Every structure is written in structure tokens, then in C-alpha cells.
Amino acid sequence: MTLRTDPEFEAALAFLAQHDGGSKQEVVRRAVLERAARLGHHDRVAALSTEAKSRWAETLDRLGTV
């Protein structure tokens, strides 16, 4: 894979690699994996919330929270 960067991105990448004591490749790898994990978590929470609203809709209506 080739990653095209601009000077601003390259400077930030170099800073992070130096700060973390790792390689630029590891900085990019970690950022992508962390982002994917956050999105996956968000999607799971949204799905469970929708499921709970459906399951408890009658109760929530009676409580006046929907």
C-alpha cells in the first residue's frame, strides 16, 4: 500500500512516531485500528439502543419518556 501525504500530515506523523517511540507505519496502523474499534462500538450501542426502545416501548410510553 502506498500512502500519499502532504507536508502537514508528514510532520504530524513524524511527531507522533517520535513521541511514541515507534515507526510511522505503527502510528498509522494504530490510528486505523482505533478508529475502526470506535465505529464498531458506536454501531453496537446504536443497535442495542434501538432494540431496547422497541422491546420496552410500551413501558417507556407509560413512563412518558419516549
Side-chain angles (χ1 to χ4, degrees):
M1 176 180 89
T2 300
L3 181 64
R4 295 179 188 190
T5 65
D6 58 30
E8 179 184 20
F9 182 86
E10 186 63 36
L13 191 55
F15 170 78
L16 291 171
Q18 182 178 14
H19 180 271
D20 294 347
S23 68
K24 293 177 185 177
Q25 178 180 346
E26 184 58 29
V27 170
V28 173
R29 181 181 182 280
R30 187 173 41 245
V32 169
L33 292 175
E34 287 175 5
R35 175 77 170 133
R38 280 194 308 272
L39 283 174
H41 175 75
H42 178 270
D43 290 348
R44 287 188 302 277
V45 169
L48 289 171
S49 176
T50 299
E51 180 183 322
K53 285 179 186 177
S54 294
R55 180 177 179 188
W56 296 101
E58 184 180 325
T59 302
L60 292 170
D61 282 338
R62 281 189 271 138
L63 293 172
T65 59
V66 175

